[in-house]
Amino acid sequence: MATLPKLIRAMRNESPKHHNLVLPSLRRAFSLYDQINLIDNVPEDQLRFQEFDETSFTVNGVKYDGSLLSVGNLLMSWSPRSFSEITTDSLSIFQTVRPIPELLIIGCGRYNHPVNPQVRQFVKSIGMKLETLDSRNAASTYNILNEEGRIVAAALLPYGVTS
């Protein structure tokens, strides 16, 4: 049992050694034994954001540059390149998507920003809830909810976007 406190202290003192940051999985985080890997139980056709850097995301082993929009297990390029470009027009695809996701997670880039009231009202009028987070936490939240089988959507700006 004394090993766990040592591990936690060592992790706090460690700094990232590379630019690509791996996103944690809730299923993996609660496994204390390397021989137990619950991630393998996630279907192969299910989207998982695995890494990110300043300009791209790695999803299911494939690197995608720029902003991404993910609905359920569909992934597409998304036009906004800055937070100010997130408008009702940039989210208009949700007027036709069925089933309607219960939650839209907006990844704002490096920092979380409050969303324009028009955008918030638009998302609410479609029947979704809205959560804004920095892109790292947005991708992780999407992974967790998607692994649970919930119908969620993510609109993510690259982590290098700061405004």
Side-chain angles (χ1 to χ4, degrees), residues 52-134:
F52 65 94
D53 60 27
E54 299 292 305
T55 61
S56 66
F57 297 92
T58 301
V59 183
N60 290 21
V62 179
K63 186 175 180 176
Y64 296 91
D65 288 326
S67 302
L68 294 178
L69 187 66
S70 177
V71 182
N73 285 317
L74 301 174
L75 184 68
M76 59 198 88
S77 181
W78 190 42
S79 61
R81 298 293 174 239
S82 67
F83 185 76
S84 63
E85 294 177 25
I86 299 175
T87 64
T88 56
D89 286 341
S90 71
L91 297 171
S92 63
I93 189 169
F94 291 107
Q95 292 175 314
T96 57
V97 168
R98 297 297 180 264
I100 298 170
E102 63 183 270
L103 176 67
L104 170 61
I105 305 162
I106 295 181
C108 304
R110 187 175 307 274
Y111 307 109
N112 193 4
H113 299 282
V115 130
N116 176 323
Q118 264 186 325
V119 171
R120 187 169 291 283
Q121 181 56 38
F122 174 76
V123 171
K124 184 179 179 182
S125 73
I126 293 172
M128 294 185 294
K129 293 181 177 113
L130 178 66
E131 183 74 39
T132 59
L133 300 163
D134 63 274

